Amino acid sequence: MRITQGTFSFLPDLTREQIAAQVSYCLDKDWAVGIEYTDDPHPRNLYWEMYGNPMFDIKDAEGVMIEVDRAIAEHPNEYIKINAFDASHGWESIRLSFIVNRPKEEPGFRLQRTEFEGRKIRYTTHSYATDAPSGNRY
Amino acid sequence: MDADAIDLNSIYQDSDIESAIALLDEELVGLAPVKSRVSEIASLLVVEKLRNQVGLQAQPPSLHMSFTGNPGTGKTTVALRMADILKKLDYVRKGHLVACTRDDLVGEFIGHTAPKTREMIKKAMGGVLFIDEAYFLYRPENERDYGKEAIEILLQAMEDHRDDFVVILAGYEKEMDKFFGANPGMASRVAHHIDFPDYDDKELVQIADRMLVTMQYQLTDGAKEALSEYISLRRQRPNFSNARSIRNALDRCRLRQAKRLFDGRKESITRDDLAMIKEEDLRASRVFSGGVDQNEGNQK
């Protein structure tokens, strides 16, 4: 199951060129670009690992792409996303976030039903991948 | 005319490098050989671009440069203009200048150098990486020095990101020659060498005049004489660094002028007094009594 989240989630995966163009847009707006990765793609998992620090004083997209290339080379089989942070007053939050790398095979989620008294049911989404310990998931 | 005719002039004018070169000419006193080398390089870049357009064999020209010369001869300023010219000709995308020295590239312990160097390279993407006193990167006397690692990473980046940034190495001529001798990989990638001559006394006076104009000060006639004497004396003292020495000397004059005005504050002061530097402000310099001015000794 192809996991989608963030901006461009309805589009096919972006090529390197397209990623660079988006990064270029972010830098033109003076947003700081950061890279994060994870092997726990649950939609409620907000805490991905940071790949290096957010990059604040880079002028050209290729500077960010150096780090993106390195992140993909180091974590080829994990989810990697780019976050663009707007530090301007009133925003101070992420303005753009999109996935730039995903594992080759994504096993998807199981819907788990827990039954309670009466006929109540609680639902949980459980990622098949997280059955294995972190590092062996994909 | 036939369609094959190429309008060199229109490209030259479209790119607007004329204004960059004119600015260089205007901004910097003297430096005739540097200026002519810069326009040579600019014309080469225009022609290469044209050759590319008409489909003639045109390898992407090697743009990395080395600026050699004594301190205070305008290397950084010319590098700034060069970045501007490269941007106007579309050889770099942003045209900013990232100036750094050994400290910004080389780390203090194992594993510290690579991230530091990469950080600077990332910042320089789309522009020019200006490495001042580049020969400090390589220290043959210490085989465990991390400078070598920085050079290797730099070379790799110059290879991988050929179209993304330009490296300008700067330093004293002798040391740079040694540096290139010891690093053939670097030497073979640096295509353009520009040598910055020292300024002569007349040029330094001109430079001082320009500085005074921007700082909005004036010299009395006596002070003007003192200044030219100061320049020829200062040149013989150690650590003479051309325009930078002049700037420092003028800054100290301002200090003395302020003190003079302050000490005599019982009399009323006019606007002219505030802008006027007198002979005594210059003559008080230790250079006239055979010494070196304060703060000058610890300069590079």
Side-chain angles (χ1 to χ4, degrees), chain B residues 4-208:
Chain B
D4 284 350
I6 301 157
D7 195 354
L8 191 68
N9 205 34
S10 80
I11 288 234
Y12 187 74
Q13 260 151 23
D14 286 349
S15 62
D16 196 30
I17 53 169
E18 213 162 355
S19 69
I21 290 175
L23 193 61
L24 184 76
D25 211 30
E26 213 174 277
E27 248 179 5
L28 293 166
V29 174
L31 292 181
V34 174
K35 286 170 182 169
S36 76
R37 282 287 283 139
V38 169
S39 20
E40 262 173 48
I41 293 171
S43 358
L44 172 77
L45 296 180
V46 173
V47 169
E48 286 287 331
K49 214 171 130 185
L50 267 177
R51 283 178 61 98
N52 203 16
Q53 276 176 14
V54 298
L56 277 172
Q57 201 259 352
Q59 296 162 329
S62 179
L63 297 169
H64 306 304
M65 300 173 204
S66 122
F67 289 1
T68 52
N70 289 327
T73 43
K75 297 188 287 287
T76 312
T77 315
V78 172
L80 264 171
R81 289 288 139 253
M82 203 68 211
D84 200 22
I85 290 171
L86 290 171
K87 161 82 175 78
K88 284 182 167 152
L89 290 171
D90 279 333
Y91 281 97
V92 293
R93 287 184 297 268
K94 306 279 167 182
H96 60 291
L97 185 86
V98 177
C100 66
T101 56
R102 178 187 157 96
D103 290 352
D104 303 307
L105 297 172
V106 180
E108 287 158 33
F109 43 82
I110 289 186
H112 191 206
T113 303
K116 266 184 110 169
T117 307
R118 208 167 46 239
E119 198 61 37
M120 291 316 289
I121 292 171
K122 270 156 56 184
K123 279 184 200 168
M125 280 292 141
V128 172
L129 182 66
F130 181 78
I131 307 178
D132 209 1
E133 297 178 271
Y135 48 84
F136 277 140
L137 282 179
Y138 179 69
R139 290 200 169 143
E141 69 275 12
N142 182 357
E143 62 180 42
R144 280 196 222 153
D145 185 63
Y146 301 127
K148 233 189 232 168
E149 195 184 339
I151 294 173
E152 270 160 36
I153 294 167
L154 205 58
L155 283 175
Q156 190 61 43
M158 284 157 87
E159 198 64 47
D160 294 348
H161 298 277
R162 222 176 275 210
D163 307 327
D164 298 322
F165 79 130
V166 170
V167 177
I168 297 180
L169 305 165
Y172 297 100
E173 192 181 3
K174 249 197 233 150
E175 275 91 341
M176 287 306 285
D177 283 348
K178 249 187 261 170
F179 174 75
F180 284 125
N183 297 280
M186 197 58 103
S188 66
R189 279 177 183 81
V190 174
H192 307 283
H193 295 261
I194 303 184
D195 192 39
F196 287 65
D198 278 348
Y199 292 108
D200 63 29
D201 290 0
K202 234 169 71 195
E203 286 165 343
L204 285 173
V205 171
Q206 240 177 308
I207 289 169

Side-chain angles (χ1 to χ4, degrees), chain B residues 254-280:
Chain B
R254 289 168 61 195
L255 220 69
R256 288 188 209 106
Q257 184 236 24
K259 181 150 183 354
R260 173 170 56 81
L261 291 175
F262 199 73
D263 288 347
R265 66 182 174 277
K266 287 190 186 90
E267 301 155 39
S268 62
I269 293 173
T270 63
R271 192 173 184 277
D272 286 348
D273 286 334
L274 286 173
M276 195 60 79
I277 289 180
K278 288 189 178 168
E279 187 174 359
E280 61 202 83

Side-chain angles (χ1 to χ4, degrees), chain A residues 20-101:
Chain A
Q22 293 299 341
V23 170
S24 195
Y25 175 84
C26 297
L27 295 178
D28 287 345
K29 300 252 170 194
D30 267 338
W31 299 342
V33 178
I35 302 170
E36 296 183 353
Y37 64 96
T38 191
D39 59 359
D40 179 3
H42 191 284
R44 302 295 280 273
N45 172 24
L46 303 177
Y47 304 110
W48 292 31
E49 309 286 339
M50 287 169 71
Y51 186 86
N53 294 327
M55 292 167 262
F56 281 96
D57 43 7
I58 289 182
K59 294 267 195 310
D60 186 78
E62 200 53 37
V64 172
M65 292 311 288
I66 290 181
E67 289 298 298
V68 173
D69 291 342
R70 278 166 48 85
I72 293 175
E74 259 173 62
H75 306 281
N77 228 7
E78 288 181 43
Y79 293 92
I80 299 176
K81 71 178 169 190
I82 281 180
N83 294 329
F85 180 82
D86 183 352
S88 61
H89 184 70
W91 277 101
E92 292 135 340
S93 62
I94 302 280
R95 291 288 290 272
L96 181 73
S97 169
F98 58 99
I99 291 181
V100 294
N101 189 58

